[in-house]
Amino acid sequence: MRRTTTYPVNGHNAMASWRRVAPFWRVAWNFFWIELSRFLPFLRLKSWLLRHLVGMDVAPTASIGVMAMPDILRPDLIHIGPESIIGYNVTILTHEFLPRAYRLGAVEIGAWVLIGANATILPGVRIGDGAIVGAGAVVTRDVPAGTMVGGVPARVIGRVDGDTRASRPGPPLSLEQETAP
Ligand SMILES: CC(=O)SCCNC(=O)CCNC(=O)[C@H](O)C(C)(C)COP(=O)(O)OP(=O)(O)OC[C@H]1O[C@@H](n2cnc3c(N)ncnc32)[C@H](O)[C@@H]1OP(=O)(O)O
Ligand SMILES: O=C(O)C1=N[C@H](C(=O)O)CCC1
């Protein structure tokens, strides 16, 4: 079960009341810095901007890939631990608008986690240390530490303890091997 708090909204659909989630100036500020950071290929600068200007709790050694999209309304509810990788175009949501209510929930990503490209993380989810989320997954519930999940909705597809190819990096290559066509 995701850890979210529900806030009912009367009258129009819940997104129409988005200013109840965060004030206009805060969202405009977050949007500017998050959009800028999405295009920056400088990992340390990106995590610094997100930490100091939009209030995300992102470790300096976390690597956030190009076009990753953290929640612009409540990025302060996102926690990303040291050495974790967030792939291209990953969406991390901490709010969700429903027709007659909105929900808020913190997303906690541990250390040495890999979130594959194009995955979506829903509000209120915890992803444990060393877990792997496959490309394109939609994470709707907690991912235990050391577990590999994939698919829509994300289901366990392995353990990150040697029984998956991704946990066997193999011997280091020489520079010539790495750059060979
Ligand atoms: C550009 C960037 O952003 S790079 C930084 C982000 N990194 C990425 O995006 C990495 C993306 N890589 C993946 O998603 C990989 O598939 C990994 C890391 C999850 C798994 O890699 P491996 O351990 O090599 O898995 P492998 O390819 O051997 O597949 C193992 C099984 O999991 C399944 N599987 C692999 N990836 C996924 C996935 N994304 N979704 C669902 N199932 C998957 C495979 O079909 C296979 O199932 P089978 O045994 O029934 O045939
Ligand atoms: O995945 C890559 O390739 C790169 N990712 C970094 C980023 O997304 O910011 C830096 C450039 C290479």
Side-chain angles (χ1 to χ4, degrees):
M1 182 70 130
R2 297 192 277 126
R3 286 163 211 78
T4 55
T5 307
T6 303
Y7 301 87
V9 173
N10 293 322
H12 297 293
N13 73 76
M15 193 190 282
S17 303
W18 65 268
R19 286 179 198 214
R20 281 177 54 178
V21 180
F24 176 83
W25 69 268
R26 182 82 227 182
V27 178
W29 173 268
N30 290 344
F31 184 71
F32 176 82
W33 291 111
I34 286 174
E35 274 301 297
L36 179 70
S37 76
R38 295 181 75 206
F39 292 90
L40 287 179
F42 308 113
L43 296 170
R44 289 288 177 133
L45 174 61
K46 219 182 315 194
S47 56
W48 189 93
L49 289 177
L50 294 172
R51 194 164 55 253
H52 292 287
L53 299 181
V54 305
M56 268 171 69
D57 178 25
V58 44
T61 57
S63 294
I64 301 182
V66 165
M67 302 314 286
M69 188 68 197
D71 194 292
I72 62 165
L73 265 54
R74 294 298 306 270
D76 55 304
L77 296 178
I78 298 174
H79 310 268
I80 302 176
E83 305 298 346
S84 288
I85 296 175
I86 311 297
Y88 285 2
N89 226 32
V90 166
T91 299
I92 303 175
L93 297 176
T94 57
H95 80 275
E96 55 190 336
F97 290 119
L98 308 170
R100 296 182 185 280
Y102 65 87
R103 294 196 289 229
L104 299 179
V107 168
E108 293 177 25
I109 297 172
W112 293 97
V113 169
L114 165 66
I115 312 284
N118 289 305
T120 299
I121 315 298
L122 294 188
V125 154
R126 286 185 188 157
I127 301 177
D129 294 346
I132 292 182
V133 173
V138 176
V139 181
T140 62
R141 57 180 64 188
D142 289 354
V143 178
T147 303
M148 186 162 96
V149 301
V152 181
R155 301 281 186 223
V156 174
I157 56 177
R159 286 225 22 106
V160 189
D161 56 7
D163 72 346
T164 58
R165 272 201 316 143
S167 30
R168 295 192 296 270
L173 299 173
S174 68
L175 190 60
E176 293 77 41
Q177 284 171 300
E178 282 187 8
T179 53

